[in-house]
Amino acid sequence: MDNVADFMILPDRRFAVSPPLRRWRIAYHIICSCRAMGILVRKQFAAIRRVPSYVAIDVDGHSAPLTTFTKVADASSLRSLVKERRLEDLHRLGGSAGLVSALASNAETGIHGGGDDLSSRKAAFGSNTYPRPKPKGFFHFVFEALNDLFIIILMVCAAISLAFGIKEHGLKDGWYDGASIFLAVLLVSVVSAVSNFRQMKRFHKLSAECDNIGATVVRAGRRQTVFIFDVVVGDVVLLNIGDQVPADGVFLQGHSLQVDESSMTGESHPVDVDAVKSPFLTSGVKVIDGYASMLVTAVGTDTMWGEMMGSITSETSEPTPLQERLQGLTSSIGKIGIVVAGVVFAVLVIRYFTGSTKGDDGRPKFDKHNANASDVISGLVNIFQDAVTIIVVAIPEGLPLAVTLTLAFSMTRMMKDNAMVRRLSACETMGSVTTICTDKTGTLTLNRMEVTQFWIGNEQCTSTTSIAAGVLTLLHQAVGLNTTGSVFQPTSASEPEITGSPTEKALLSWSISDLGMVAEEMKKKCVIIHVEAFNSEKKRSGIFLEEKESGAMITHWKGAAEMLLLRCSHYTETNGSVKRIDLEAKFKLEAIIHDMATSSLRCIAFAYKNTTGAEGFEANRGEAPRLEDTELTLLGFVGLKDPCRPEVARAIDACRNAGVGVKMITGDNVFTARAIAIECGIIRPEDSEALVVEGQEFRNYSPEERMKKVDQIWVMARSSPFDKLLMVQCLKQKGQVVAVTGDGTNDAPALKEADVGLAMGIQGTEVAKESSDIVIMDDNFDTVVTVMRWGRCVYNNIQKFLQFQLTVNVAALVINFVSAVATGAVPLTTVQLLWVNLIMDTMGALALATDTPTRELMEKPPVGRTAPLITSVMWRNLLAQALFQVAVLLVFQFQGESLMGSSEAENNTMIFNTFVLCQVFNEFNARKLEKKNVFQGMHKNKLFLGIVAVTVVLQVMMVEFLRKFAGTVRLGWGQWGICVGIAAISWPIGWLVKFMPVIENPWLQLRRYVKASD
């Protein structure tokens, strides 16, 4: 044997060789050569394929020491690096590694992140903000309110009246009429400006909150979520699907990263980003696939996004659909007012020149024998002034203001209720929603995943003592490496900090606590070569890794249990033996999945495959390599419990009572989906199986069959984002108003297609939020119902104010027209009419547009897309009140002096006082369109009570103290009692008239009756 050893070790030594030894020598050289070649191939393969597919965080505390940033030598090159996209500049700066070092950062642990460090970086490179356009000032809104054609005409008339008044009566007594009109116009304009200015500030505040999105960074080795405006140069930012790139930077490490640069370039095709050919990431682009870490090199106005946003003026003046409808109504009413004012002007002019208009002394105001130009011009100006005032009062300018007020009020209150409105029109549309398509996880459930069952093969495991070491190692790899979550543990004695999605956090926590996984040790033992991120179509994710010690190459898969089982040919037992899946074994495994699903558990399977080298890949030319996913070995199942939110059943019941259907669209299997739907109350146990379908089944329906069945489908399981989009399109084609919840990037098309898109604030990606109309901050379905309640409240508040204002408009126009034709005089002066206009427009809008949602709002069916703004109920209420006011004031006008025994001045003051008080009492009637008890819940609306009180106090001041300004005289207690008593009659009238039945759309009913009689 010594000779054999010498021969093997010293092959150059010459001695006689027997044939057997010669054969041994040849065999030895072949074995050594094969091993050497195998090692070389493996190293070369790893060098080519080893693209890190995750952001690794050093958890053992042995990373390079963290340093605080001081300064960088070539700051200007850094700022222009990503803008100019020059690879040679990046190489000149030392590549990504050189940039990391120059910016005192670390690719694994990020920057130091202390106060001094962040301050130094902001001082050197600026903050990640851009200059916003200066908001409009208060006086801009005052000018905007005064910049109305009829207001300008009225002020011109006031100026002429002021000039003629001073000429006729002197400065001491002649300035009252003209100056009073100026003061009244200014008062109306200032109050309107204050209201609009406050709403503008609210909108800007909410807009800023919408823009302040989150970004995940690594600082001092710990993952943190910071606002995008707090990102600094040198930060290591972690990017996942759906994220918005928060600043300019360069790619550090990652896998299959693709971004959508359409917001910057206008081109919608995805752009691949890697460390070699295209390492630059531009601020504002969206991640559509893969994940990576990037180093921030420029922020704020040094980025292309910052430059672009700084030059854009953000306006919130785009009208909502309801505002557009109201503007049309305003225009129509204004035209009627112009016609009435024109007739009044013509009648008054004719009466003036025919001598029918008498002055205070009883003589005609116009005497053709003694007339002079000054008196004629003054008389005509006063007539024209009255006509213009009628137009100003007739045009319901408060309608758009009421919409703005109620939207701003609703948005503010919804923000407190965890709903952030991104588009104003969504507030209105939510009131008309007929169907809500909702996700399950986190919306209907608590999103607190916990592993409650664990199976290896067909054996349920309660402890790890019976599990073979090799199986346990495979489980550690399957859970700890095939994940987008992370574990941070500064010391072995400290509690691990686990981050990631709720599912990933639950699996990692279970693996650490129950399986004894030590994350940092496991990561040191393996090298991840390739990753396939989770795919909503395949419902699984996979990794290809190499064990450093053994050199073994393993493909791991994790995903939906019943779908992964189809790709498995073998299964592992607890003792480590591997058995083939025959029909009997398959039946047992499927039964395990079914039982977990019917118990409302999310069933996830783990599978693996031992491979060698490139066998783990399937690659086609021009395509990214794909992991092998056939002939897998099933490693085990876990069942995760995510309990339903306790308030969901009540919320879904409220939707059902409100005539709104709720459909659940989920990626879980049919059995889990049905169990959760029953638990939530979406479907009842006795409902037919046809109510629950799989996405593929729905997708394969013919268009006619799909349209026929879509209303009966309440749960869609194993659905893809395309299935959700398809359902939304079908529902909209059937005339439904659809709201959709979504959280993923792939949900963006459905969110945009829906009438109202609702993105999840916690689990939702930035792409989903960008595509949505409202962001649900707590991911809770109960908040969705709250938003719908507020949407109905917006519409209801507008209808209340519309009824109130049209009552005043009808009464004022009729009174002025009849009085002008009959007596040649308008009973209400210009200042008095402007005061009524103030009560109607601004104060009425404030009082009625800020009511909170009531319970009865959710007891009615949704309002249709084309439902009339003024319903038959509103016409009944407003006509009753308008006729009452017209009758009372005309009696005052023609018989008031004789009935009350008062002077003309007192009678005119009582007409003005009664008219205003009628509006005060009618504000209470307008609070409830159908309910007889108009005082219900009034104590909760302190603003309403405050405005009514202010109106009454100001009216007393107008009558008793501002007599010259308002053209009034003092009234006695009895006269005040008569005014209040008559105005209070509007309450019993409002109560009695609600006993009258109404016919919705009476013209349609009449047409049907005529057709039936023919």
Side-chain angles (χ1 to χ4, degrees):
M1 288 302 295
D2 291 338
N3 290 337
V4 173
D6 290 340
F7 172 78
M8 295 295 184
I9 297 170
L10 303 170
D12 292 335
R13 188 172 172 182
R14 296 182 183 275
F15 52 85
V17 181
S18 64
L21 287 176
R22 188 181 295 113
R23 286 196 295 273
W24 274 106
R25 181 173 180 177
I26 294 170
Y28 174 80
H29 280 294
I30 290 172
I31 291 170
C32 289
S33 300
C34 288
R35 286 193 64 186
M37 290 175 67
I39 292 169
L40 286 172
V41 168
R42 206 156 43 235
K43 287 182 177 179
Q44 291 297 320
F45 179 80
I48 295 171
R49 295 293 188 188
R50 192 172 297 155
V51 179
S53 54
Y54 57 93
V55 177
I57 298 177
D58 185 16
V59 294
D60 60 5
H62 298 301
S63 58
L66 295 168
T67 57
T68 301
F69 174 81
T70 53
K71 64 179 182 177
V72 65
D74 199 358
S76 59
S77 297
L78 275 178
R79 293 189 179 100
S80 60
L81 180 65
V82 176
K83 285 184 186 178
E84 298 178 0
R85 292 175 175 261
R86 292 181 181 174
L87 282 171
E88 56 269 24
D89 288 351
L90 178 61
H91 295 151
R92 181 175 55 80
L93 293 168
S96 59
L99 287 176
V100 168
S101 176
L103 292 171
S105 186
N106 185 292
E108 307 295 337
T109 58
I111 62 173
H112 184 278
D116 293 340
D117 187 35
L118 295 176
S119 300
S120 300
R121 294 175 189 274
K122 288 180 180 180
F125 300 102
S127 61
N128 197 27
T129 57
Y130 51 87
R132 295 178 179 271
K134 190 176 180 181
K136 297 175 182 176
F138 170 72
F139 290 103
H140 172 87
F141 290 99
V142 174
F143 176 77
E144 204 172 60
L146 291 171
N147 193 24
D148 178 88
L149 176 62
F150 295 108
I151 291 291
I152 292 171
I153 293 172
L154 198 59
M155 288 192 291
V156 171
C157 293
I160 297 172
S161 175
L162 180 65
F164 279 104
I166 293 173
K167 179 182 178 183
E168 185 176 347
H169 303 291
L171 181 61
K172 184 178 180 181
D173 299 318
W175 65 274
Y176 286 115
D177 288 343
S180 297
I181 297 170
F182 271 121
L183 187 60
V185 167
L186 185 62
L187 177 64
V188 171
S189 301
V190 167
V191 172
S192 175
V194 168
S195 178
N196 286 327
F197 181 64
R198 289 186 63 204
Q199 305 327 313
M200 182 271 297
K201 290 179 70 176
R202 283 184 181 178
F203 287 138
H204 273 286
K205 183 179 178 182
L206 288 172
S207 176
E209 290 179 2
C210 290
D211 292 340
N212 203 3
I213 60 178
T216 304
V217 300
V218 182
R219 291 177 179 173
R222 180 181 281 107
R223 282 194 187 191
Q224 301 178 26
T225 299
V226 300
F227 287 125
I228 193 172
F229 300 131
D230 295 328
V231 172
V232 296
V233 170
D235 260 327
V236 173
V237 180
L238 308 184
L239 301 173
N240 286 291
I241 296 176
D243 287 347
Q244 175 178 315
V245 177
D248 283 1
V250 295
F251 181 94
L252 288 178
Q253 53 189 0
H255 172 75
S256 303
L257 189 67
Q258 287 187 328
V259 296
D260 176 11
E261 295 186 343
S262 58
S263 59
M264 301 299 298
T265 64
E267 298 178 6
S268 58
H269 62 272
V271 177
D272 293 313
V273 180
D274 55 43
V276 180
K277 295 181 180 178
S278 179
F280 302 112
L281 287 157
T282 306
S283 176
V285 304
K286 306 290 192 306
V287 178
I288 58 175
D289 197 13
Y291 45 94
S293 64
M294 64 168 277
L295 177 72
V296 175
T297 58
V299 294
T301 53
D302 291 331
T303 67
M304 290 176 62
W305 178 261
E307 286 181 355
M308 183 178 70
M309 293 303 293
S311 62
I312 295 175
T313 302
S314 177
E315 292 287 345
T316 57
S317 58
E318 183 180 348
T320 68
L322 184 57
Q323 284 175 324
E324 289 177 348
R325 290 176 69 184
L326 287 173
Q327 284 169 1
L329 180 63
T330 300
S331 176
S332 300
I333 296 172
K335 290 173 184 176
I336 296 171
I338 290 171
V339 171
V340 172
V343 172
V344 168
F345 178 75
V347 169
L348 292 179
V349 168
I350 292 170
R351 290 181 64 91
Y352 177 79
F353 282 111
T354 57
S356 301
T357 305
K358 303 290 194 300
D360 295 336
D361 55 2
R363 291 187 300 177
K365 288 188 175 181
F366 177 76
D367 184 357
K368 61 182 178 180
H369 301 293
N370 299 315
N372 59 65
S374 177
D375 292 337
V376 171
I377 293 173
S378 178
L380 290 176
V381 167
N382 287 333
I383 293 171
F384 186 68
Q385 181 178 286
D386 290 338
V388 172
T389 307
I390 290 172
I391 297 173
V392 172
V393 175
I395 295 175
E397 294 164 325
L399 287 179
L401 174 62
V403 177
T404 304
L405 282 170
T406 190
L407 287 175
F409 176 73
S410 302
M411 285 175 66
T412 305
R413 292 298 297 269
M414 277 195 275
M415 194 69 188
K416 294 179 181 177
D417 290 336
N418 295 312
M420 183 172 67
V421 179
R422 299 185 71 253
R423 291 179 179 86
L424 279 177
S425 58
C427 289
E428 306 162 6
T429 312
M430 274 304 291
S432 303
V433 164
T434 57
T435 302
I436 301 174
C437 297
T438 178
D439 291 334
K440 175 187 76 73
T441 304
T443 307
L444 299 177
T445 61
L446 288 169
N447 210 14
R448 296 174 188 164
M449 295 287 188
E450 181 184 359
V451 175
T452 58
Q453 288 191 30
F454 171 41
W455 295 73
I456 293 181
N458 53 20
E459 182 182 348
Q460 187 170 3
C461 301
T462 56
S463 68
T464 60
T465 54
S466 61
I467 303 175
V471 176
L472 208 56
T473 300
L474 288 170
L475 283 168
H476 289 170
Q477 294 172 357
V479 178
L481 298 179
N482 187 12
T483 180
T484 55
S486 68
V487 180
F488 177 78
Q489 193 170 9
T491 64
S492 58
S494 61
E495 284 292 320
E497 297 177 14
I498 302 172
T499 58
S501 69
T503 302
E504 299 291 355
K505 287 165 69 174
L507 291 173
L508 288 170
S509 177
W510 164 74
S511 183
I512 292 171
S513 60
D514 291 12
L515 301 185
M517 181 184 77
V518 182
E520 64 272 18
E521 290 183 7
M522 182 195 56
K523 288 181 179 180
K524 290 177 183 177
K525 293 177 181 178
C526 301
V527 177
I528 295 178
I529 297 171
H530 190 72
V531 170
E532 278 194 24
F534 178 82
N535 185 291
S536 58
E537 293 291 337
K538 293 182 178 180
K539 304 289 184 186
R540 62 181 182 271
S541 63
I543 59 168
F544 181 48
L545 61 84
E546 178 187 3
E547 290 182 347
K548 293 179 180 178
E549 186 175 329
S550 65
M553 292 184 152
I554 307 170
T555 300
H556 279 283
W557 285 101
K558 175 182 71 178
E562 76 279 7
M563 299 180 77
L564 206 54
L565 180 60
L566 295 174
R567 299 189 169 271
C568 293
S569 58
H570 297 77
Y571 70 95
T572 303
E573 292 188 324
T574 53
N575 59 9
S577 62
V578 176
K579 291 189 176 182
R580 187 160 191 85
I581 299 178
D582 54 20
L583 287 177
E584 182 182 357
K586 185 177 181 182
F587 178 79
K588 289 181 179 179
L589 294 171
E590 288 177 343
I592 293 170
I593 297 171
H594 180 271
D595 290 343
M596 281 198 278
T598 52
S599 301
S600 303
L601 298 182
R602 171 180 284 183
C603 190
I604 293 177
F606 301 101
Y608 73 98
K609 184 174 184 177
N610 287 311
T611 56
T612 56
E615 291 181 11
F617 290 99
E618 289 180 1
N620 298 319
R621 181 172 294 180
E623 295 183 6
R626 294 186 298 108
L627 297 182
E628 176 65 34
D629 58 359
T630 58
E631 297 293 316
L632 304 177
T633 300
L634 180 67
L635 191 56
F637 302 119
V638 291
L640 293 98
K641 179 69 174 176
D642 186 12
C644 284
R645 292 180 181 270
E647 67 276 8
V648 159
R650 185 182 69 251
I652 290 175
D653 192 51
C655 288
R656 188 175 284 115
N657 293 336
V660 178
V662 180
K663 300 181 186 294
M664 185 176 82
I665 302 176
T666 178
D668 287 333
N669 67 37
V670 171
F671 305 110
T672 304
R674 182 175 177 81
I676 291 290
I678 291 172
E679 189 177 347
C680 292
I682 293 176
I683 59 175
R684 298 178 177 87
E686 64 272 13
D687 287 334
S688 81
E689 290 290 335
L691 290 171
V692 182
V693 300
E694 285 194 342
Q696 186 176 2
E697 180 184 350
F698 180 73
R699 201 183 316 139
N700 293 334
Y701 286 153
S702 66
E704 295 78 16
E705 191 177 10
R706 200 181 296 128
M707 292 296 290
K708 182 180 178 181
K709 291 186 176 181
V710 69
D711 286 333
Q712 283 74 46
I713 296 171
W714 293 104
V715 178
M716 188 189 292
R718 287 294 179 229
S719 64
S720 68
F722 176 76
D723 299 326
K724 183 185 284 190
L725 175 62
L726 197 59
M727 174 166 276
V728 172
Q729 290 171 338
C730 291
L731 289 169
K732 288 184 71 177
Q733 287 173 25
K734 297 201 75 171
Q736 303 266 21
V737 181
V738 187
V740 170
T741 68
D743 54 12
T745 301
N746 292 332
D747 289 328
L751 290 169
K752 286 186 175 180
E753 179 70 24
D755 295 286
V756 182
L758 303 157
M760 299 297 106
I762 299 173
Q763 292 299 315
T765 64
E766 292 306 324
V767 173
K769 294 175 188 176
E770 190 75 20
S771 304
S772 69
D773 304 299
I774 298 173
V775 178
I776 306 300
M777 306 301 289
D778 59 353
D779 290 14
N780 193 341
F781 184 79
D782 194 46
T783 305
V784 176
V785 178
T786 301
V787 170
M788 183 172 64
R789 191 179 292 116
W790 273 107
R792 293 189 173 196
C793 182
V794 167
Y795 199 87
N796 188 248
N797 285 348
I798 296 303
Q799 286 187 313
K800 292 176 189 177
F801 177 69
L802 189 57
Q803 175 183 297
F804 169 72
Q805 187 162 54
L806 290 183
T807 303
V808 187
N809 286 348
V810 171
L813 286 175
V814 172
I815 291 164
N816 281 293
F817 178 76
V818 173
S819 181
V821 171
T823 65
V826 177
L828 300 175
T829 66
T830 300
V831 173
Q832 290 170 356
L833 282 172
L834 287 172
W835 170 237
V836 172
N837 191 58
L838 177 64
I839 294 172
M840 279 195 317
D841 285 354
T842 306
M843 301 183 76
L846 278 168
L848 294 171
T850 54
D851 254 346
T852 54
T854 55
R855 188 176 61 255
E856 58 263 22
L857 285 175
M858 297 298 286
E859 296 172 357
K860 302 176 184 177
V863 179
R865 290 177 187 269
T866 57
L869 276 173
I870 309 174
T871 64
S872 299
V873 169
M874 293 168 64
W875 278 120
R876 177 198 66 189
N877 296 342
L878 74 88
L879 287 176
Q881 293 294 335
L883 289 174
F884 163 69
Q885 292 178 18
V886 168
V888 167
L889 296 182
L890 288 179
V891 169
F892 266 120
Q893 177 71 12
F894 295 107
Q895 300 295 326
E897 294 178 31
S898 59
L899 288 175
M900 304 297 174
S902 56
S903 64
E904 183 182 357
E906 288 177 332
N907 188 58
N908 287 339
T909 301
M910 290 184 71
I911 290 174
F912 167 58
N913 200 29
T914 304
F915 187 54
V916 170
L917 291 175
C918 279
Q919 311 322 317
V920 173
F921 281 91
N922 195 36
E923 275 187 283
F924 289 87
N925 288 324
R927 290 190 66 248
K928 305 289 181 182
L929 299 179
E930 296 183 60
K931 290 182 75 76
K932 298 178 180 67
N933 183 7
V934 298
F935 305 108
Q936 183 180 7
M938 186 178 64
H939 63 284
K940 296 179 181 178
N941 194 342
K942 301 294 192 297
L943 184 60
F944 175 85
L945 294 174
I947 288 171
V948 169
V950 168
T951 304
V952 171
V953 169
L954 291 175
Q955 178 62 19
V956 171
M957 292 178 64
M958 290 282 284
V959 173
E960 298 295 327
F961 303 103
L962 302 173
R963 296 188 300 278
K964 286 193 175 182
F965 169 71
T968 58
V969 296
R970 282 188 171 178
L971 298 178
W973 286 105
Q975 292 169 320
W976 269 100
I978 291 170
C979 294
V980 172
I982 292 173
I985 296 174
S986 63
W987 280 353
I989 289 175
W991 182 75
L992 289 170
V993 80
K994 287 174 183 174
F995 284 98
M996 293 173 56
V998 294
I999 302 173
E1000 289 296 334
N1001 204 336
W1003 300 112
L1004 181 60
Q1005 296 287 342
L1006 181 61
R1007 285 178 62 187
R1008 288 175 180 171
Y1009 176 76
V1010 171
K1011 285 183 178 180
S1013 61
D1014 291 342

